[in-house]
Short mmCIF file of all heavy atoms in Angstrom, two decimals:
data_model
loop_
_atom_site.label_atom_id
_atom_site.label_comp_id
_atom_site.label_asym_id
_atom_site.label_seq_id
_atom_site.Cartn_x
_atom_site.Cartn_y
_atom_site.Cartn_z
N ALA N 18 -2.68 -10.67 12.84
CA ALA N 18 -2.93 -12.06 12.45
C ALA N 18 -4.33 -12.24 11.87
O ALA N 18 -4.51 -12.89 10.83
CB ALA N 18 -2.72 -12.98 13.64
N ALA N 19 -5.33 -11.65 12.53
CA ALA N 19 -6.70 -11.80 12.05
C ALA N 19 -6.94 -11.05 10.75
O ALA N 19 -7.89 -11.35 10.02
CB ALA N 19 -7.68 -11.32 13.12
N LEU N 20 -6.07 -10.07 10.45
CA LEU N 20 -6.24 -9.26 9.24
C LEU N 20 -5.33 -9.70 8.11
O LEU N 20 -5.30 -9.08 7.05
CB LEU N 20 -5.96 -7.79 9.58
CG LEU N 20 -6.71 -7.20 10.78
CD1 LEU N 20 -6.21 -5.79 11.07
CD2 LEU N 20 -8.20 -7.19 10.53
N GLU N 21 -4.59 -10.78 8.33
CA GLU N 21 -3.58 -11.21 7.37
C GLU N 21 -4.10 -11.40 5.95
O GLU N 21 -3.42 -11.03 4.99
CB GLU N 21 -2.91 -12.51 7.86
CG GLU N 21 -1.76 -12.99 6.99
CD GLU N 21 -0.59 -12.01 6.94
OE1 GLU N 21 -0.38 -11.30 7.93
OE2 GLU N 21 0.10 -11.97 5.91
N PRO N 22 -5.30 -11.94 5.76
CA PRO N 22 -5.78 -12.09 4.37
C PRO N 22 -5.88 -10.77 3.60
O PRO N 22 -5.86 -10.77 2.37
CB PRO N 22 -7.16 -12.74 4.54
CG PRO N 22 -7.09 -13.43 5.85
CD PRO N 22 -6.23 -12.55 6.72
N GLN N 23 -6.00 -9.66 4.36
CA GLN N 23 -6.11 -8.35 3.70
C GLN N 23 -4.79 -7.57 3.70
O GLN N 23 -4.76 -6.39 3.41
CB GLN N 23 -7.19 -7.51 4.40
CG GLN N 23 -8.61 -8.03 4.23
CD GLN N 23 -8.94 -9.11 5.23
OE1 GLN N 23 -8.43 -9.14 6.34
NE2 GLN N 23 -9.81 -10.03 4.84
N TRP N 24 -3.70 -8.24 4.05
CA TRP N 24 -2.42 -7.56 4.16
C TRP N 24 -1.70 -7.50 2.81
O TRP N 24 -1.65 -8.50 2.09
CB TRP N 24 -1.52 -8.27 5.18
CG TRP N 24 -0.22 -7.56 5.41
CD1 TRP N 24 0.95 -7.74 4.72
CD2 TRP N 24 0.03 -6.52 6.35
NE1 TRP N 24 1.92 -6.88 5.18
CE2 TRP N 24 1.38 -6.11 6.18
CE3 TRP N 24 -0.76 -5.89 7.31
CZ2 TRP N 24 1.95 -5.11 6.96
CZ3 TRP N 24 -0.17 -4.89 8.08
CH2 TRP N 24 1.16 -4.51 7.90
N ILE N 25 -1.15 -6.35 2.48
CA ILE N 25 -0.34 -6.18 1.27
C ILE N 25 1.06 -5.78 1.70
O ILE N 25 1.25 -4.73 2.32
CB ILE N 25 -0.94 -5.11 0.34
CG1 ILE N 25 -2.36 -5.49 -0.10
CG2 ILE N 25 -0.04 -4.90 -0.88
CD1 ILE N 25 -3.10 -4.39 -0.83
N GLU N 26 2.03 -6.62 1.40
CA GLU N 26 3.41 -6.35 1.79
C GLU N 26 3.99 -5.29 0.86
O GLU N 26 4.16 -5.51 -0.36
CB GLU N 26 4.24 -7.63 1.71
CG GLU N 26 5.68 -7.46 2.14
CD GLU N 26 5.84 -7.23 3.64
OE1 GLU N 26 4.85 -7.41 4.38
OE2 GLU N 26 6.96 -6.89 4.07
N ALA N 27 4.29 -4.11 1.40
CA ALA N 27 4.78 -2.99 0.60
C ALA N 27 5.62 -2.08 1.48
O ALA N 27 5.10 -1.18 2.12
CB ALA N 27 3.61 -2.21 0.00
N PRO N 28 6.94 -2.30 1.53
CA PRO N 28 7.81 -1.44 2.34
C PRO N 28 7.71 0.02 1.91
O PRO N 28 7.77 0.33 0.72
CB PRO N 28 9.21 -2.01 2.08
CG PRO N 28 8.97 -3.42 1.67
CD PRO N 28 7.68 -3.40 0.90
N LEU N 29 7.52 0.90 2.89
CA LEU N 29 7.33 2.32 2.60
C LEU N 29 8.38 3.19 3.27
O LEU N 29 8.16 4.37 3.50
CB LEU N 29 5.93 2.76 3.08
CG LEU N 29 4.75 2.08 2.38
CD1 LEU N 29 3.45 2.46 3.07
CD2 LEU N 29 4.70 2.46 0.92
N ASP N 30 9.54 2.60 3.57
CA ASP N 30 10.54 3.35 4.31
C ASP N 30 11.78 3.65 3.48
O ASP N 30 12.83 3.97 4.01
CB ASP N 30 10.95 2.56 5.57
CG ASP N 30 11.40 3.48 6.70
OD1 ASP N 30 11.09 4.68 6.61
OD2 ASP N 30 12.02 3.00 7.64
N GLY N 31 11.66 3.53 2.16
CA GLY N 31 12.82 3.76 1.31
C GLY N 31 12.76 5.10 0.59
O GLY N 31 11.99 6.00 0.95
N GLY N 32 13.58 5.22 -0.46
CA GLY N 32 13.63 6.43 -1.25
C GLY N 32 12.57 6.43 -2.34
O GLY N 32 11.68 5.59 -2.38
N PRO N 33 12.67 7.40 -3.28
CA PRO N 33 11.66 7.53 -4.34
C PRO N 33 11.45 6.26 -5.15
O PRO N 33 10.31 5.91 -5.46
CB PRO N 33 12.21 8.67 -5.21
CG PRO N 33 13.04 9.48 -4.27
CD PRO N 33 13.66 8.49 -3.33
N ALA N 34 12.53 5.56 -5.49
CA ALA N 34 12.38 4.34 -6.29
C ALA N 34 11.60 3.28 -5.53
O ALA N 34 10.72 2.60 -6.10
CB ALA N 34 13.75 3.80 -6.69
N ALA N 35 11.89 3.13 -4.23
CA ALA N 35 11.17 2.14 -3.42
C ALA N 35 9.70 2.51 -3.28
O ALA N 35 8.83 1.63 -3.33
CB ALA N 35 11.82 2.03 -2.04
N LEU N 36 9.41 3.79 -3.13
CA LEU N 36 8.02 4.21 -3.01
C LEU N 36 7.27 3.97 -4.32
O LEU N 36 6.10 3.55 -4.30
CB LEU N 36 7.95 5.69 -2.62
CG LEU N 36 8.48 6.06 -1.24
CD1 LEU N 36 8.31 7.56 -0.99
CD2 LEU N 36 7.78 5.27 -0.15
N PHE N 37 7.93 4.21 -5.43
CA PHE N 37 7.29 3.96 -6.73
C PHE N 37 6.98 2.48 -6.89
O PHE N 37 5.89 2.11 -7.36
CB PHE N 37 8.17 4.44 -7.87
CG PHE N 37 7.55 4.28 -9.23
CD1 PHE N 37 6.59 5.17 -9.69
CD2 PHE N 37 7.89 3.20 -10.03
CE1 PHE N 37 6.00 5.00 -10.93
CE2 PHE N 37 7.30 3.02 -11.28
CZ PHE N 37 6.36 3.93 -11.72
N ARG N 38 7.91 1.62 -6.47
CA ARG N 38 7.66 0.18 -6.55
C ARG N 38 6.51 -0.22 -5.64
O ARG N 38 5.70 -1.10 -5.99
CB ARG N 38 8.92 -0.59 -6.16
CG ARG N 38 10.03 -0.55 -7.21
CD ARG N 38 11.10 -1.60 -6.94
NE ARG N 38 11.76 -1.39 -5.66
CZ ARG N 38 12.84 -0.63 -5.49
NH1 ARG N 38 13.38 0.00 -6.54
NH2 ARG N 38 13.41 -0.50 -4.31
N SER N 39 6.42 0.44 -4.48
CA SER N 39 5.32 0.13 -3.57
C SER N 39 3.97 0.49 -4.18
O SER N 39 2.99 -0.24 -4.00
CB SER N 39 5.52 0.87 -2.25
OG SER N 39 6.62 0.37 -1.53
N ILE N 40 3.92 1.61 -4.89
CA ILE N 40 2.68 2.00 -5.56
C ILE N 40 2.24 0.92 -6.54
O ILE N 40 1.08 0.50 -6.55
CB ILE N 40 2.86 3.36 -6.29
CG1 ILE N 40 3.09 4.48 -5.27
CG2 ILE N 40 1.65 3.66 -7.16
CD1 ILE N 40 3.59 5.78 -5.89
N THR N 41 3.18 0.45 -7.33
CA THR N 41 2.87 -0.60 -8.31
C THR N 41 2.46 -1.89 -7.62
O THR N 41 1.49 -2.56 -8.01
CB THR N 41 4.09 -0.85 -9.21
OG1 THR N 41 4.49 0.39 -9.83
CG2 THR N 41 3.79 -1.88 -10.28
N THR N 42 3.18 -2.25 -6.54
CA THR N 42 2.87 -3.48 -5.80
C THR N 42 1.47 -3.43 -5.22
O THR N 42 0.69 -4.39 -5.31
CB THR N 42 3.90 -3.69 -4.68
OG1 THR N 42 5.20 -3.84 -5.24
CG2 THR N 42 3.55 -4.91 -3.84
N ILE N 43 1.12 -2.32 -4.58
CA ILE N 43 -0.20 -2.19 -3.96
C ILE N 43 -1.29 -2.23 -5.02
O ILE N 43 -2.31 -2.92 -4.88
CB ILE N 43 -0.28 -0.89 -3.14
CG1 ILE N 43 0.70 -0.93 -1.96
CG2 ILE N 43 -1.71 -0.67 -2.63
CD1 ILE N 43 0.87 0.40 -1.26
N ASP N 44 -1.07 -1.49 -6.11
CA ASP N 44 -2.06 -1.43 -7.18
C ASP N 44 -2.37 -2.83 -7.72
O ASP N 44 -3.53 -3.22 -7.89
CB ASP N 44 -1.54 -0.52 -8.30
CG ASP N 44 -2.60 -0.22 -9.34
OD1 ASP N 44 -3.79 -0.32 -9.02
OD2 ASP N 44 -2.22 0.11 -10.48
N ARG N 45 -1.32 -3.61 -7.95
CA ARG N 45 -1.52 -4.97 -8.48
C ARG N 45 -2.20 -5.87 -7.45
O ARG N 45 -3.06 -6.68 -7.78
CB ARG N 45 -0.18 -5.56 -8.89
CG ARG N 45 0.41 -4.91 -10.14
CD ARG N 45 1.81 -5.46 -10.41
NE ARG N 45 2.36 -4.89 -11.64
CZ ARG N 45 3.63 -5.03 -12.02
NH1 ARG N 45 4.48 -5.73 -11.26
NH2 ARG N 45 4.05 -4.48 -13.15
N ALA N 46 -1.79 -5.73 -6.18
CA ALA N 46 -2.33 -6.61 -5.14
C ALA N 46 -3.80 -6.34 -4.85
O ALA N 46 -4.52 -7.24 -4.38
CB ALA N 46 -1.51 -6.46 -3.86
N LEU N 47 -4.27 -5.14 -5.13
CA LEU N 47 -5.67 -4.83 -4.85
C LEU N 47 -6.62 -5.63 -5.73
O LEU N 47 -7.75 -5.92 -5.34
CB LEU N 47 -5.92 -3.32 -5.02
CG LEU N 47 -5.32 -2.42 -3.94
CD1 LEU N 47 -5.54 -0.96 -4.29
CD2 LEU N 47 -5.92 -2.72 -2.57
N GLY N 48 -6.16 -5.99 -6.92
CA GLY N 48 -6.99 -6.79 -7.81
C GLY N 48 -8.32 -6.11 -8.10
O GLY N 48 -8.37 -4.97 -8.56
N SER N 49 -9.41 -6.81 -7.79
CA SER N 49 -10.74 -6.26 -8.06
C SER N 49 -11.22 -5.32 -6.95
O SER N 49 -12.29 -4.71 -7.08
CB SER N 49 -11.74 -7.40 -8.23
OG SER N 49 -11.82 -8.18 -7.05
N PHE N 50 -10.45 -5.21 -5.86
CA PHE N 50 -10.82 -4.33 -4.75
C PHE N 50 -10.62 -2.88 -5.18
O PHE N 50 -9.53 -2.48 -5.60
CB PHE N 50 -9.94 -4.64 -3.54
CG PHE N 50 -10.23 -3.79 -2.32
CD1 PHE N 50 -11.17 -4.19 -1.38
CD2 PHE N 50 -9.54 -2.60 -2.09
CE1 PHE N 50 -11.43 -3.44 -0.25
CE2 PHE N 50 -9.79 -1.84 -0.97
CZ PHE N 50 -10.73 -2.26 -0.05
N ARG N 51 -11.66 -2.09 -5.11
CA ARG N 51 -11.59 -0.68 -5.48
C ARG N 51 -11.88 0.19 -4.26
O ARG N 51 -13.02 0.22 -3.77
CB ARG N 51 -12.58 -0.36 -6.60
CG ARG N 51 -12.23 -1.01 -7.93
CD ARG N 51 -10.91 -0.43 -8.44
NE ARG N 51 -10.49 -0.98 -9.71
CZ ARG N 51 -9.66 -2.00 -9.85
NH1 ARG N 51 -9.18 -2.60 -8.76
NH2 ARG N 51 -9.30 -2.44 -11.02
N PRO N 52 -10.88 0.88 -3.74
CA PRO N 52 -11.10 1.66 -2.50
C PRO N 52 -12.00 2.86 -2.71
O PRO N 52 -11.91 3.55 -3.73
CB PRO N 52 -9.68 2.10 -2.12
CG PRO N 52 -8.89 2.05 -3.38
CD PRO N 52 -9.49 0.96 -4.22
N ASP N 53 -12.88 3.07 -1.75
CA ASP N 53 -13.67 4.30 -1.69
C ASP N 53 -12.91 5.38 -0.92
O ASP N 53 -13.16 6.57 -1.11
CB ASP N 53 -15.00 4.04 -0.98
CG ASP N 53 -15.84 2.99 -1.69
OD1 ASP N 53 -16.12 3.17 -2.88
OD2 ASP N 53 -16.17 1.98 -1.04
N ILE N 54 -12.02 4.95 -0.02
CA ILE N 54 -11.21 5.84 0.81
C ILE N 54 -9.82 5.25 0.90
O ILE N 54 -9.65 4.04 1.09
CB ILE N 54 -11.79 5.97 2.23
CG1 ILE N 54 -13.14 6.70 2.22
CG2 ILE N 54 -10.81 6.66 3.19
CD1 ILE N 54 -13.04 8.20 1.94
N ILE N 55 -8.80 6.11 0.81
CA ILE N 55 -7.44 5.71 1.14
C ILE N 55 -7.03 6.53 2.36
O ILE N 55 -7.15 7.75 2.38
CB ILE N 55 -6.48 5.93 -0.03
CG1 ILE N 55 -6.87 5.01 -1.19
CG2 ILE N 55 -5.03 5.66 0.39
CD1 ILE N 55 -6.06 5.21 -2.45
N HIS N 56 -6.55 5.83 3.39
CA HIS N 56 -6.22 6.46 4.66
C HIS N 56 -4.74 6.24 4.93
O HIS N 56 -4.30 5.11 5.12
CB HIS N 56 -7.07 5.86 5.77
CG HIS N 56 -7.02 6.61 7.06
ND1 HIS N 56 -7.95 6.43 8.07
CD2 HIS N 56 -6.15 7.54 7.53
CE1 HIS N 56 -7.65 7.21 9.08
NE2 HIS N 56 -6.55 7.89 8.79
N ALA N 57 -3.96 7.32 4.94
CA ALA N 57 -2.51 7.25 5.14
C ALA N 57 -2.16 7.70 6.55
O ALA N 57 -2.80 8.60 7.12
CB ALA N 57 -1.78 8.12 4.12
N HIS N 58 -1.08 7.10 7.10
CA HIS N 58 -0.72 7.35 8.49
C HIS N 58 0.73 7.81 8.68
O HIS N 58 1.18 7.92 9.81
CB HIS N 58 -0.96 6.08 9.33
CG HIS N 58 -2.41 5.68 9.37
ND1 HIS N 58 -3.28 6.10 10.35
CD2 HIS N 58 -3.14 4.90 8.53
CE1 HIS N 58 -4.48 5.60 10.12
NE2 HIS N 58 -4.42 4.87 9.03
N HIS N 59 1.45 8.05 7.60
CA HIS N 59 2.79 8.65 7.66
C HIS N 59 2.95 9.51 6.41
O HIS N 59 2.20 9.35 5.43
CB HIS N 59 3.90 7.59 7.67
CG HIS N 59 3.88 6.69 8.86
ND1 HIS N 59 3.18 5.51 8.88
CD2 HIS N 59 4.47 6.80 10.07
CE1 HIS N 59 3.34 4.91 10.05
NE2 HIS N 59 4.12 5.68 10.79
N ARG N 60 3.96 10.37 6.42
CA ARG N 60 4.13 11.24 5.26
C ARG N 60 4.49 10.46 4.00
O ARG N 60 3.97 10.74 2.92
CB ARG N 60 5.19 12.32 5.56
CG ARG N 60 4.62 13.42 6.44
CD ARG N 60 5.49 14.64 6.47
NE ARG N 60 6.68 14.43 7.28
CZ ARG N 60 7.47 15.44 7.69
NH1 ARG N 60 7.20 16.68 7.35
NH2 ARG N 60 8.52 15.19 8.44
N LYS N 61 5.37 9.47 4.11
CA LYS N 61 5.69 8.67 2.94
C LYS N 61 4.48 7.86 2.48
O LYS N 61 4.24 7.69 1.29
CB LYS N 61 6.88 7.75 3.22
CG LYS N 61 8.21 8.48 3.28
CD LYS N 61 9.38 7.52 3.42
CE LYS N 61 10.70 8.25 3.40
NZ LYS N 61 11.86 7.34 3.54
N ALA N 62 3.72 7.38 3.46
CA ALA N 62 2.50 6.65 3.12
C ALA N 62 1.53 7.56 2.38
O ALA N 62 0.80 7.12 1.48
CB ALA N 62 1.86 6.10 4.38
N ALA N 63 1.50 8.84 2.75
CA ALA N 63 0.61 9.79 2.08
C ALA N 63 1.03 10.03 0.63
O ALA N 63 0.19 10.21 -0.25
CB ALA N 63 0.57 11.10 2.85
#
């Protein structure tokens, strides 16, 4: 709840097409935010 303003809705539990859509969704949602580090916590997330 406290982190909601920084939340990006991107389901990562689907097949290749869903993962590709998630990449596009996250990229667009980041806007001017440019990550110095990306930290993944599952294989699909990686």
Side-chain angles (χ1 to χ4, degrees):
L20 308 174
E21 184 63 30
Q23 293 83 30
W24 184 270
I25 300 171
E26 182 71 10
L29 297 173
D30 209 17
L36 294 181
F37 183 79
R38 287 194 298 271
S39 292
I40 293 167
T41 304
T42 297
I43 296 169
D44 190 23
R45 289 174 178 170
L47 288 175
S49 61
F50 181 89
R51 292 295 180 265
D53 300 303
I54 293 288
I55 295 176
H56 192 164
H58 297 269
H59 297 90
R60 283 194 286 194
K61 287 186 177 180

